[in-house]
Amino acid sequence: MIWSVWWAWLVAALVLAILEIFAPAFLFLGFAVGAAVTGVLMAFGGPLAVAMTGSLPVTLLVFAVASLAAWIALRRVLGIRDGQVKVFDRDINED
């Protein structure tokens, strides 16, 4: 199946990163990092890669955990903007 191929996850990561350019909200970027982590884990092999290749639920669990961790890290690094609503005190057309 396509979900058990490492390069398919890296292609999905690239597509999600491109989607992030068109809708910048760090939502797709977290999923892109999660897909990249899943693809890299599958590419390097090991016992986790064998478990992921043999089971779709395990693969999706690794993807979900990696995506959530990436999203939390992005929010911590880039920060939650305080007072996201901009209040204008004066009109730029007034002199």
Side-chain angles (χ1 to χ4, degrees):
M1 301 305 283
I2 193 72
W3 53 265
S4 63
V5 181
W6 64 270
W7 58 264
W9 285 98
L10 294 180
V11 168
L14 181 64
V15 169
L16 288 167
I18 291 170
L19 280 174
E20 178 63 34
I21 293 171
F22 294 114
F26 300 112
L27 175 69
F28 292 117
L29 192 58
F31 286 126
V33 172
V37 167
T38 304
V40 167
L41 286 174
M42 283 186 163
F44 285 127
L48 182 59
V50 171
M52 287 171 28
T53 304
S55 174
L56 178 61
V58 173
T59 304
L60 292 178
L61 178 66
V62 169
F63 170 65
V65 169
S67 297
L68 180 64
W71 184 80
I72 290 171
L74 284 169
R75 293 304 282 178
R76 286 194 174 252
V77 169
L78 300 174
I80 299 172
R81 296 176 295 237
D82 293 329
Q84 289 181 332
V85 177
K86 177 86 173 153
V87 177
F88 294 99
D89 293 329
R90 97 180 167 82
D91 188 1
I92 60 171
N93 295 320
E94 293 177 359
D95 285 324

